[in-house]
Amino acid sequence: MNTTSPLTFYKEKASNYELTVRIIKAQNIHGTDVVTKPDCYVCLRLPTSLAGRKRTKTVWNNRDPVWDETFHFRIHSQVKNILELSVYDEDVGTADDHLFTVSYDLGNVPLNENVVENFTLNTEFQEELQVEFTLVIIPESQKKVTTNGVLVCPEMSALQVEVQKQKRDPFKKKTELALSVRGSFEDSHSILLRDSSHELNSRETAVFHFPRDLGTELTASLRRVYSSFDVTFTNETENDGSNQTTVPLSVISPMESDIHVQVPAMEGKPLDIQIGLTECPEKLDVRLGFDLCDKEKIFLQKRQRLVADTLKRVLKLEEDLVGEEIPVVAVMATGGGVRAMTCLYSHLCGLQNMGLLDCVTYIASASGSTWTTTKLFEDPNWSQSNLSEPINNAKKHVTKNKISIFSVDRLKYYRKELQQAAVDGQKPSFTDLWGLMLESMLQNGRNENRLSDQQAALENGQNPLPIYLAINVKQDTISTLDFKEWCEFTPYEVGLIKYGAFIRTEDYGSEFYMGRLMKKHPEPRICFLQGLWGNVFSLNLVDTWYLTTQLDTFWDTWVKDRIKDIDKEDIRLRRESAHTKTRLFTPAGTFSRIWKGVLTNRPIDGEQHNFLQGLYLHKDYHQQPQFSTWKDSNLDNFPNKLTPLADNLCLVDAGYFINASFPPLLRPERKVDVIISFDYTLDTPLLAVEQTCNYCTTQGIGFPKVSLSEEERKTHKECYVFNDDEINNCPIVLHFPLVNDTFKKFKEPGVLRTPEEMSDGNVDVTGAFSPYFLTNFTYSERDFDRLNKLTQYNLANNTELILDALQTAVQRRKARNNSCQMQQTVAQKKT
């Protein structure tokens, strides 16, 4: 393993291997049919080598089928190669029955040795599958690949296919050339052989981008094209393989640019095509690394100066704070619809009135609180201006009637915008429609702003850096409990934290392949992101069940996939620690499959282009500390099911797991010392911070212990201070739940209400009859004002707790800085 720092990408030596898999036999296979014996065949899936599947022949009516068939794959030495062997029972007239799948890490196969594995499929019936593996290195294939220790980007090549078109179709009927390179970015291309231009015998070129080191093939065939009125279609059934040419691309050198290939014709002479390979530039458009991007580092340097001056003033320090002595303070806001949007406005205004807003370096938000930050950052100097105007503007939209969003004109507008989004390369969905509806409810008109435009508000470090949070989930068949990955958005980058992969924000929505920007699309308007971050309609039933009951026993007992470790002792002895276990997947029965579909389906989710497509997981990805730290799901042990091999991302509201935006602030690279946590939940104001504590404890992330007595759970305070000196790099968390305690009697800190003012203190932030429930998007002016005053009061009433936390953070920073300087001095003396 390369010893280079895992914070950035680096080059690593790699080779290509020739893998031979011989499917020998199986025994005692019972299948699902009661009367007849099974008709078995085996499917082989190795997505890191081949885009499709390979399969054996079917052995009919036999419990002990013998295939003795051999298959060849070309694999990459630094990639995590997991071969899936699936046993099926073929049925005539109905779908084939999936009996078992064995997931086998090819890292278990030593070089230049034959290894025979007997996979136990069912101990009760002594069902087994016998397979032989052989692995040899391909001579002169060693090269260097780009990796960050979690992801690997092999070399990419471009295949050019050129054909000469003619004024007249060279064949008796209208014909097109069908080209396919499975696993490439383009996948397929069709060229009509008749030239409709004014040039005589023009030439057309098709280009395919594909992984150079894998076993990719070009397939070329001729097929007839038929026209019926204005509709043109092809007859796929005429192509039986006899007029098809397959060219293995791994045997072609990039130096060969003029190779002639003949494609058999259905009638007449074969068609000549010309192919050639070129190597693509190594420069990647996906940033691989776990460190902060350069633009954020520059912002931090500029922001530090303002933070240092502000802390010196509010804490009445005698000396200036410099360098590592300056603590990083962050605001964390939960979701909560319009309630969260309203409260975050007033909390930020409260910090400004207290002179503390310029101490803040980051503002992380999720769901409804993102609607506040996206609006504020339209003004490049919002934190240096009085926030009363933005609050009044928000009040105008929150209190207005929303019925107009369903008018005929608005519906026409939505349709037009979604059509334009499709033209711009997006995949329009209900999430996008929801974003347009939010725009109508919360904006004065069409908002042309985009997330990358917010860079102007950070140019001189004049405002905190906004971070928006979502989670990537599986669209179908898998619950959020079993799979979720944090995805953060900033004005600079969008990235999946676990993989250490980021793209420029202005490139979000574009199409990537193997780390390269392949097809640039316009960056989506901010309303589409607001719909994504705050889509309360993307829950599937099992998510709803978990969020309301916190119980997942039904899912675990009846619906969850049945997977078990079937490694034998000899495999365990030769396996390296980075190799994954051999696992057996047994498909669920009909009842469980039906329940699973009902519970996990997300019918109104949208899809986004997967910027990890074409990248692969490193063979030692599990040993990378950053990946382990952000390990979120059981699927992390199944590389073939992780995001790099997915066609699309499915990004949803982060509140489906934990209704908070802590994760981006807990990245060690951001070095956050104090988190001012604003929780806008009505009924469970401590749940999010407790869930975050449990999550961080499990993942080994520095977070203070949240230990509450029964009395504290029943009677909520205005502010909780969570601090733990025993945990390294653990931030101080000041947690402000949405409660109405002393505000009932005090209109300002220390100022009692008069009898006439007592009614203003009756703000209902609990119970089913609260005017601030999640799906209410319209408040009365009185309700808006009272919520605004309540949140500002709670903040101001706990000023001393905030100042104490800031003072403690400064002291810790100075102590660490002095300790580092002493260690450096000692080291210098020794040398």
Side-chain angles (χ1 to χ4, degrees):
M1 178 78 178
N2 194 308
T3 57
T4 307
S5 169
L7 297 178
T8 58
F9 70 89
Y10 51 90
K11 292 290 185 178
E12 195 169 65
K13 290 183 179 179
S15 300
N16 292 325
Y17 296 150
E18 180 75 24
L19 170 71
T20 302
V21 181
R22 184 164 72 100
I23 307 297
I24 303 173
K25 64 180 180 178
Q27 65 180 31
N28 300 321
I29 304 298
H30 281 67
T32 56
D33 296 330
V34 178
V35 179
T36 62
K37 295 178 182 179
D39 310 308
C40 293
Y41 65 91
V42 179
C43 271
L44 298 86
R45 179 175 179 261
L46 184 55
T48 51
S49 174
L50 192 70
R53 297 171 183 255
K54 296 185 178 183
R55 59 160 289 179
T56 67
K57 63 180 180 292
T58 300
V59 177
W60 299 94
N61 197 31
N62 196 324
R63 294 193 188 277
D64 303 301
V66 176
W67 295 282
D68 196 22
E69 292 187 50
T70 300
F71 302 89
H72 298 277
F73 300 90
R74 183 185 176 103
I75 64 175
H76 196 286
S77 65
Q78 297 306 101
V79 167
K80 175 62 78 173
N81 296 292
I82 303 294
L83 177 64
E84 296 176 8
L85 301 165
S86 299
V87 181
Y88 286 86
D89 181 2
E90 185 166 342
D91 291 326
V92 178
T94 60
D96 297 345
D97 295 322
H98 181 191
L99 304 181
F100 308 98
T101 291
V102 174
S103 178
Y104 182 71
D105 189 342
L106 295 172
N108 293 319
V109 182
L111 280 173
N112 304 317
E113 293 183 26
N114 291 344
V115 174
V116 177
E117 300 283 12
N118 291 291
F119 299 113
T120 301
L121 306 178
N122 187 313
T123 54
E124 180 182 357
F125 300 110
Q126 296 184 331
E127 294 175 297
E128 283 192 351
L129 175 66
Q130 189 178 84
V131 184
E132 182 184 58
F133 300 93
T134 307
L135 196 65
V136 297
I137 193 169
I138 298 176
E140 300 179 357
S141 65
Q142 192 173 88
K143 58 193 68 178
K144 290 186 177 181
V145 295
T146 303
T147 180
N148 65 352
V150 172
L151 295 175
V152 174
C153 182
E155 290 185 334
M156 183 167 77
S157 294
L159 171 70
Q160 293 183 336
V161 183
E162 193 175 78
V163 62
Q164 183 170 308
K165 302 176 69 174
Q166 300 179 12
K167 279 293 183 183
R168 292 186 177 181
D169 198 319
F171 305 102
K172 294 181 180 179
K173 296 184 179 180
K174 197 173 182 181
T175 308
E176 71 176 11
L177 173 65
L179 302 168
S180 175
V181 178
R182 297 195 66 181
S184 68
F185 172 73
E186 294 80 5
D187 189 63
S188 62
H189 194 85
S190 298
I191 299 176
L192 191 64
L193 296 180
R194 179 179 295 172
D195 184 13
S196 57
S197 68
H198 297 292
E199 299 179 11
L200 183 63
N201 297 338
S202 65
R203 304 184 72 83
E204 184 169 338
T205 301
V207 179
F208 297 91
H209 296 85
F210 66 98
R212 171 76 183 131
D213 297 323
L214 303 185
T216 314
E217 298 176 333
L218 166 69
T219 301
S221 61
L222 295 170
R223 59 191 185 192
R224 293 170 181 157
V225 180
Y226 301 88
S227 296
S228 177
F229 299 102
D230 295 329
V231 179
T232 301
F233 60 94
T234 60
N235 188 349
E236 303 282 356
T237 60
E238 289 184 353
N239 189 358
D240 59 0
S242 60
N243 62 319
Q244 180 174 289
T245 295
T246 300
V247 181
L249 300 180
S250 59
V251 301
I252 302 176
S253 168
M255 304 300 292
E256 300 178 81
S257 58
D258 190 10
I259 301 173
H260 291 271
V261 175
Q262 287 192 333
V263 182
M266 289 170 283
E267 70 263 344
K269 296 181 179 179
L271 177 68
D272 287 322
I273 62 174
Q274 182 177 314
I275 65 174
L277 281 182
T278 56
E279 293 184 347
C280 297
E282 290 187 359
K283 186 177 183 301
L284 302 184
D285 300 300
V286 174
R287 184 176 71 85
L288 297 180
F290 294 90
D291 204 359
L292 305 178
C293 69
D294 290 340
K295 287 186 176 180
E296 184 170 339
K297 291 177 182 177
I298 294 171
F299 159 80
L300 290 174
Q301 293 173 356
K302 295 177 179 178
R303 185 67 179 174
Q304 268 190 333
R305 294 194 289 268
L306 181 58
V307 170
D309 293 341
T310 306
L311 285 172
K312 182 180 180 182
R313 185 179 68 253
V314 298
L315 297 179
K316 298 181 175 59
L317 303 176
E318 295 180 359
E319 299 178 351
D320 292 340
L321 297 174
V322 293
E324 289 299 312
E325 296 178 345
I326 306 170
V328 177
V329 181
V331 165
M332 190 291 305
T334 70
V338 170
R339 177 180 67 249
M341 182 190 78
T342 303
C343 291
L344 184 54
Y345 271 117
S346 59
H347 271 140
L348 293 176
C349 183
L351 289 173
Q352 186 183 63
N353 294 336
M354 296 159 63
L356 297 176
L357 186 54
D358 285 340
C359 297
V360 177
T361 299
Y362 293 104
I363 299 178
S365 54
S367 196
S369 58
T370 65
W371 306 341
T372 299
T373 42
T374 50
K375 183 61 180 175
L376 286 175
F377 275 85
E378 292 178 14
D379 178 4
N381 295 296
W382 68 268
S383 68
Q384 308 304 313
S385 307
N386 193 311
L387 288 179
S388 58
E389 185 176 343
I391 290 176
N392 288 331
N393 184 58
K395 177 180 177 180
K396 184 195 312 179
H397 292 293
V398 170
T399 58
K400 73 182 181 183
N401 191 300
K402 307 296 191 302
I403 192 65
S404 61
I405 68 170
F406 300 107
S407 68
V408 174
D409 288 342
R410 296 311 294 174
L411 294 176
K412 290 180 179 178
Y413 169 75
Y414 301 153
R415 181 180 181 183
K416 180 181 177 182
E417 287 297 305
L418 292 175
Q419 290 174 338
Q420 183 59 48
V423 172
D424 290 341
Q426 295 185 46
K427 301 179 178 182
S429 65
F430 178 85
T431 299
D432 299 309
L433 174 60
W434 172 238
L436 291 168
M437 294 171 70
L438 286 174
E439 179 185 57
S440 298
M441 287 190 285
L442 306 176
Q443 300 284 342
N444 292 319
R446 178 185 168 89
N447 187 350
E448 295 291 348
N449 285 282
R450 289 163 169 77
L451 181 55
S452 62
D453 295 335
Q454 295 181 11
Q455 293 181 29
L458 307 171
E459 190 172 2
N460 300 309
Q462 68 270 38
N463 299 297
L465 174 68
I467 305 175
Y468 307 91
L469 186 64
I471 52 175
N472 179 46
V473 298
K474 295 293 184 182
Q475 191 163 21
D476 296 309
T477 71
I478 296 175
S479 77
T480 306
L481 303 178
D482 288 338
F483 184 84
K484 60 270 177 183
E485 297 172 334
W486 302 111
C487 181
E488 69 171 39
F489 294 73
T490 75
Y492 299 132
E493 286 190 323
V494 177
L496 290 163
I497 302 173
K498 183 168 72 177
Y499 301 102
F502 302 85
I503 59 173
R504 299 188 314 159
T505 300
E506 47 265 48
D507 292 334
Y508 177 74
S510 296
E511 297 179 51
F512 289 79
Y513 184 71
M514 295 185 68
R516 280 86 166 179
L517 177 60
M518 304 299 294
K519 188 178 292 185
K520 174 68 177 172
H521 297 306
E523 181 187 351
R525 295 192 294 116
I526 197 69
C527 69
F528 293 114
L529 295 182
Q530 289 176 322
L532 184 156
W533 298 327
N535 185 0
V536 296
F537 304 104
S538 294
L539 285 170
N540 58 32
L541 290 180
V542 75
D543 292 339
T544 308
W545 191 330
Y546 172 72
L547 291 173
T548 54
T549 66
Q550 297 294 301
L551 297 176
D552 53 5
T553 52
F554 177 84
W555 173 262
D556 288 337
T557 304
W558 296 100
V559 184
K560 199 170 182 177
D561 291 336
R562 288 173 285 174
I563 300 170
K564 66 177 182 179
D565 173 15
I566 60 169
D567 273 343
K568 294 184 178 179
E569 190 63 32
D570 58 335
I571 299 180
R572 294 190 179 98
L573 289 174
R574 70 171 180 264
R575 177 193 288 114
E576 296 178 14
S577 59
H579 295 170
T580 59
K581 297 178 180 178
T582 305
R583 289 182 168 85
L584 174 69
F585 166 71
T586 306
T590 303
F591 170 80
S592 295
R593 285 199 302 270
I594 293 173
W595 263 109
K596 192 175 187 178
V598 171
L599 291 173
T600 62
N601 186 38
R602 302 177 190 270
I604 55 177
D605 272 344
E607 296 179 342
Q608 293 79 34
H609 295 295
N610 181 11
F611 54 85
L612 298 190
Q613 199 163 25
L615 301 176
Y616 299 98
L617 286 160
H618 191 277
K619 67 181 180 67
D620 300 325
Y621 75 96
H622 254 299
Q623 292 185 324
Q624 176 59 251
Q626 278 79 3
F627 184 89
S628 298
T629 295
W630 294 97
K631 179 181 174 183
D632 294 323
S633 71
N634 296 325
L635 285 191
D636 285 343
N637 294 312
F638 295 86
N640 292 353
K641 294 186 178 181
L642 290 180
T643 302
L645 292 178
D647 293 331
N648 299 287
L649 300 178
C650 183
L651 298 176
V652 299
D653 192 321
Y656 296 164
F657 177 45
I658 298 175
N659 185 27
S661 52
F662 282 110
L665 304 177
L666 300 176
R667 288 179 59 187
E669 297 81 15
R670 292 203 164 107
K671 303 177 182 178
V672 175
D673 300 279
V674 178
I675 299 177
I676 303 175
S677 167
F678 295 133
D679 194 320
Y680 305 129
T681 310
L682 283 185
D683 300 320
T684 53
L686 295 170
L687 179 62
V689 72
E690 288 186 288
Q691 287 179 324
T692 302
C693 177
N694 293 335
Y695 173 79
C696 291
T697 300
T698 302
Q699 308 299 330
I701 303 169
F703 195 84
K705 294 179 181 178
V706 179
S707 180
L708 301 169
S709 66
E710 286 302 317
E711 182 62 29
E712 288 176 316
R713 293 179 187 277
K714 293 177 181 178
T715 306
H716 300 130
K717 297 190 297 185
E718 293 169 350
C719 180
Y720 296 83
V721 180
F722 301 112
N723 188 13
D724 199 327
D725 293 323
E726 296 180 359
I727 302 176
N728 292 331
N729 301 318
C730 175
I732 302 170
V733 176
L734 297 156
H735 188 68
F736 288 85
L738 187 58
V739 296
N740 186 3
D741 186 13
T742 60
F743 183 68
K744 296 175 182 177
K745 296 181 179 179
F746 294 85
K747 62 180 180 180
E748 294 178 14
V751 181
L752 284 167
R753 296 185 184 279
T754 64
E756 294 78 16
E757 296 171 330
M758 293 301 290
S759 61
D760 293 335
N762 294 327
V763 186
D764 185 5
V765 289
T766 60
F769 300 102
S770 171
Y772 309 112
F773 59 90
L774 181 63
T775 55
N776 183 21
F777 288 83
T778 305
Y779 298 167
S780 68
E781 291 190 8
R782 188 164 186 257
D783 286 336
F784 182 93
D785 290 338
R786 290 200 299 179
L787 184 61
N788 190 297
K789 291 177 181 178
L790 167 67
T791 46
Q792 287 195 38
Y793 168 86
N794 285 350
L795 192 64
N797 200 39
N798 292 278
T799 302
E800 290 303 317
L801 292 179
I802 299 175
L803 294 177
D804 288 345
L806 295 177
Q807 186 72 55
T808 301
V810 169
Q811 292 170 356
R812 285 182 179 176
R813 280 277 185 164
K814 284 191 172 185
R816 283 201 298 264
N817 191 48
N818 291 335
S819 177
C820 288
Q821 290 179 349
M822 290 179 61
Q823 290 175 3
Q824 290 175 358
T825 302
V826 171
Q828 289 174 355
K829 288 182 178 180
K830 287 183 177 180
T831 56

